[in-house]
Amino acid sequence: MKESSQSNISFKEFGQSNIIATTPAPHYRKVKPHAALLKVYKGLNTLNSVVIIMPEIYDPKKTIKIENVVASTAIGATLDLPKITLQLDGADYNKERFPGVVYRTKEPKTAALIFGSGKIVCTGAKSIDDVHNGLKKVFSELKSMGVDVMDNPEIIVQNIVASADLGAVLNLNAIAIGLGLENIEYEPEQFPGLVYRIAEPKVVMLLFGSGKLVVTGGKKPADADAAVDKIVEELDGLGLL
């Protein structure tokens, strides 16, 4: 019987029983059968492979954004605010409206509230680093005016305000009941959000029907992460997320 120049090879032993490859038979007589099959299999797998991309699981923590960091410090010296206003370019002082000088830095973008007692509040920063860098510029400006600023004034973070998105529409009425009215303030006629006070971390969370939320009262960025983890766990446990 005349030998065929081609042979059909089944890939059943490789878990591909539905694939048949046709390849010259002499090729298999020159090398080990299993090595030949593996070579063809790899070639087919490279040419015909389908890449399946699994959908990424939504993670609300990835949407956390620091909106404002408020910190305070004291330079250890009293200040003549009218004089400071005249010498500090861009400073704004109107004691009828506010008892301190408002001085804004451009890089980083912050606002320093300077009081006659020597206390300074920094607000508008988007990170703790921005707070430190902004206040360093204020200290430098005051020193250049002859103010006796103490070395390395302590900077204390008072509040971090962060926002996030749970990625789902929320039923605030059901949430108010589910989380317990003793921890909740919800009066939609006066404010569209639900106020939820958390003991650990000690923060206040504002939840909105759109799924967006605001965390305020944190002392460090990790407080916002922990608060989001907590609300996701609680709402998921209640079947409300």
Side-chain angles (χ1 to χ4, degrees), residues 2-16:
K2 185 177 181 180
E3 184 179 17
S4 174
S5 61
Q6 291 186 336
S7 299
N8 290 335
I9 307 300
S10 173
F11 286 84
K12 187 173 183 180
E13 63 181 296
F14 292 98
Q16 300 288 333

Side-chain angles (χ1 to χ4, degrees), residues 9-99:
I9 307 300
S10 173
F11 286 84
K12 187 173 183 180
E13 63 181 296
F14 292 98
Q16 300 288 333
S17 59
N18 62 329
I19 298 178
I20 302 296
T22 302
T23 188
H27 178 71
Y28 297 115
R29 293 183 181 132
K30 294 180 182 179
V31 295
K32 294 180 179 180
H34 287 294
L37 289 174
L38 185 59
K39 185 176 180 180
V40 176
Y41 173 74
K42 287 182 177 179
L44 289 172
N45 192 47
T46 301
L47 294 174
N48 301 315
S49 61
V50 178
V51 179
I52 301 175
I53 301 176
M54 298 299 291
E56 184 178 358
I57 298 175
Y58 185 81
D59 184 359
K61 286 204 299 185
K62 291 184 177 180
T63 70
I64 295 175
K65 178 183 178 183
I66 294 179
E67 304 290 350
N68 187 20
V69 180
V70 180
S72 63
T73 188
I75 61 173
T78 57
L79 299 171
D80 184 339
L81 296 186
K83 182 180 178 180
I84 293 295
T85 306
L86 292 175
Q87 296 182 357
L88 193 57
D89 187 33
D92 182 23
Y93 179 49
N94 186 335
K95 64 180 180 180
E96 303 299 329
R97 293 187 303 172
F98 185 71

Side-chain angles (χ1 to χ4, degrees), residues 162-199:
S163 63
D165 191 342
L166 295 177
V169 176
L170 302 178
N171 183 334
L172 298 184
N173 288 313
I175 291 173
I177 296 172
L179 293 180
L181 298 178
E182 65 277 5
N183 300 317
I184 294 294
E185 294 178 24
Y186 182 47
E187 298 182 27
E189 297 82 7
Q190 298 183 13
F191 181 68
L194 180 149
V195 181
Y196 180 34
R197 302 184 186 279
I198 301 175

Side-chain angles (χ1 to χ4, degrees), residues 68 84-85 87-94 97-98 100-114 120-125 130-131 133-139 141-142 145:
N68 187 20
I84 293 295
T85 306
Q87 296 182 357
L88 193 57
D89 187 33
D92 182 23
Y93 179 49
N94 186 335
R97 293 187 303 172
F98 185 71
V101 172
V102 180
Y103 175 61
R104 293 177 173 82
T105 61
K106 293 182 179 179
E107 188 60 41
K109 193 174 182 180
T110 67
L113 312 178
I114 306 170
I120 302 174
V121 174
C122 179
T123 186
D130 283 354
V131 167
N133 292 331
L135 284 174
K136 282 180 181 178
K137 290 190 174 184
V138 176
F139 298 154
E141 291 285 354
L142 293 176
M145 299 175 196

